[in-house]
Amino acid sequence: MAASSSTHTAYPAEVYETFDSFMQQVIKDTYERGAKRPEFVALVLASGELIPMAWGRMRKSGLRELAVGVGGVVALRYGLAYIISGPVGLALTGFTVATMISFFWSNQKAVLARRKPYKQLINDTREKFEDIQARYHDGVYDAGERALMVEGLIRRMLGQIEAPVAEG
């Protein structure tokens, strides 16, 4: 179900339909607010670690046993492949895998301090997004109400991403 034509939305229709599109929008918005910041790299890292296919490949290849840094680079690669495969890829022109990995190595402590909280944030947000979708499909919310709920969820997630994280 797509939002009705009378519903004004802040994002493309697919952002309201699937969690992947929702996350790609969050990543795009985070990128546009300052791409090289530890928040962006940690978000891509956490996203890459949450992709079931990527995680399965990392487990099969034994990379999980390697240093966090090397595993992080692999997750960054998968995270970048994930976001570049969607509409966010257009926003990342000029920000290469090598640039991101270089930033990751230089700012590893700041990035890794955010990784675990962001993974939890993504999981929690997925649950909320799926609840909104279920209520929409059950007729509890109409398209406009769903759009407002999803847009609020994006704003809350961006606020939590930009909130200071205790490093240590």
Side-chain angles (χ1 to χ4, degrees), residues 4-18:
S4 70
S5 60
S6 64
T7 301
H8 298 289
T9 57
Y11 302 105
E14 60 271 7
V15 171
Y16 304 91
E17 297 292 329
T18 68

Side-chain angles (χ1 to χ4, degrees), residues 46 111-122 124 165-166:
V111 170
L112 293 177
R114 290 165 173 80
R115 186 191 67 193
K116 188 174 180 181
Y118 287 4
K119 283 172 64 174
Q120 187 61 52
L121 175 61
I122 292 168
D124 293 347
V165 173

Side-chain angles (χ1 to χ4, degrees), residues 56-67:
R57 286 182 186 169
M58 286 174 26
R59 265 205 320 255
K60 285 179 188 172
S61 65
L63 289 175
R64 203 168 58 151
E65 306 303 320
L66 296 177

